[in-house]
Amino acid sequence: MSATEITTEPFAHDAEAKRKVVNRLKRAQGQLAAVITAVESDAHCRDVVQQLAAVSKALDRAGFLVISTALRDCMTDPDADGVSTPDELEKLFLSLA
């Protein structure tokens, strides 16, 4: 599913969740920059892999937080416009697995 297919605004009512996702993504961005620097400077493969694992974990956590926020919105007001269906949320969740 592409980003253009997602019709919900997962952070419209949850500024704290939005802040947490942005922080996780910025952390991943910094870790990815460290991976690039490590590869460019011929760092040991162990260091590169450790940084890659950190990037992957930060991105996974951001994705799961986005989905959990959408789940809360769905449970709170399932009939609201733009709320994801349970099937859509399941597909999104499984896409991170």
Side-chain angles (χ1 to χ4, degrees):
M1 176 172 291
S2 72
T4 58
E5 294 176 35
I6 299 173
T7 59
T8 62
E9 295 178 22
F11 304 110
H13 303 105
D14 196 340
E16 180 63 16
K18 182 177 183 176
R19 183 191 64 75
K20 288 179 180 179
V21 169
V22 169
N23 285 344
R24 290 182 191 281
L25 293 173
K26 287 180 179 181
R27 183 178 307 132
Q29 184 178 37
Q31 291 164 330
L32 184 56
V35 171
I36 293 168
T37 300
V39 170
E40 290 174 340
S41 64
D42 297 322
H44 192 278
C45 67
R46 175 187 57 245
D47 298 329
V48 172
V49 171
Q50 286 174 339
Q51 285 295 329
L52 283 172
V55 170
S56 180
K57 187 172 183 176
L59 291 173
D60 287 344
R61 287 179 176 262
F64 288 130
L65 184 53
V66 169
I67 292 170
S68 69
T69 301
L71 282 169
R72 277 195 307 274
D73 287 348
C74 183
M75 290 172 45
T76 303
D77 191 2
D79 297 325
D81 288 339
V83 171
S84 298
T85 66
D87 288 341
E88 181 183 16
L89 291 170
E90 180 181 8
K91 286 178 186 176
L92 289 172
F93 178 80
L94 292 174
S95 72
L96 293 176

